[in-house]
Amino acid sequence: MTDSFWKEFQNEMPEYSGVEMPPSYYFCDNEKDANECADLVNKGIKQATTHSLYWLQIHEEKLPTNGDLAIVTDWHGTPKAIIKTIKVEIVKFKDITAEYAFIEGEGDRSLGYWQKVHWDYYTRELSDHSLQPTLDMELVCEYFETIWPKKQAIS
């Protein structure tokens, strides 16, 4: 399914015809949130995601970089959108701004909502490694644009 999604993208966007298929993944750690986030990405509302630097280091994952591509899926692995990283910053949890929370696009898009759901998420994510989130923990803020499917201009 992901292969055909990628091929369809390459057919519609020939500038990517020689590009190897990027990784595919879903956001969050549960079906409801993963599916909601995939829908928000598909609509171009969710334009950022935030990784715990601890988690990336523990799993020896590379930091995202400008130009990275990814296929966003729902919880069941059905591809929904292709994103391209446009900016990466490392920011402490306590320094996340209301503007960033809005760009991330989840819930009511407020800083309060962002802080609550991300604190809870990092608590679950890090507990497997006997760690806990702190206000000073470093986060990798990855800004992206949804490059496919292309949105129709509203006239």
Side-chain angles (χ1 to χ4, degrees):
M1 189 176 338
T2 306
D3 288 344
S4 59
F5 188 81
W6 179 249
K7 285 184 175 107
E8 187 179 345
F9 163 71
Q10 288 179 313
N11 287 338
E12 284 193 29
M13 310 262 309
E15 63 269 32
Y16 292 95
S17 63
V19 176
E20 189 176 312
M21 188 169 73
S24 62
Y25 55 80
Y26 53 82
F27 293 108
C28 303
D29 62 354
N30 65 80
E31 184 173 359
K32 177 183 174 293
D33 291 342
N35 293 345
E36 283 178 11
C37 284
D39 187 49
L40 292 170
V41 169
N42 189 272
K43 291 176 179 174
I45 295 169
K46 179 172 178 58
Q47 300 172 53
T49 191
T50 315
H51 315 277
S52 143
L53 186 58
Y54 290 147
W55 191 92
L56 292 175
Q57 291 169 337
I58 289 166
H59 291 87
E60 298 179 358
E61 298 257 345
K62 72 177 189 71
L63 290 177
T65 59
N66 289 353
D68 284 354
L69 298 175
I71 299 171
V72 176
T73 71
D74 66 11
W75 183 254
H76 299 288
T78 304
K80 298 295 182 180
I82 297 175
I83 61 173
K84 182 177 186 177
T85 303
I86 57 173
K87 180 179 174 184
V88 178
E89 298 179 309
I90 296 181
V91 179
K92 290 182 179 182
F93 186 94
K94 68 182 182 184
D95 295 329
I96 294 292
T97 64
E99 293 79 13
Y100 181 79
F102 186 82
I103 291 167
E104 192 160 314
E106 297 172 25
D108 66 6
R109 301 176 85 175
S110 70
L111 180 58
Y113 179 90
W114 186 97
Q115 290 169 329
K116 164 101 178 78
V117 298
H118 284 79
W119 190 266
D120 293 347
Y121 174 78
Y122 298 132
T123 298
R124 292 189 304 273
E125 177 183 77
L126 297 173
S127 68
D128 292 344
H129 304 282
S130 301
L131 296 170
Q132 57 189 15
T134 68
L135 292 176
D136 285 320
M137 79 173 184
E138 292 182 315
L139 303 176
V140 180
C141 299
E142 179 181 4
Y143 297 77
F144 57 80
E145 60 184 346
T146 301
I147 60 171
W148 198 74
K150 287 287 191 189
K151 303 297 160 236
Q152 300 300 318
I154 299 170
S155 50

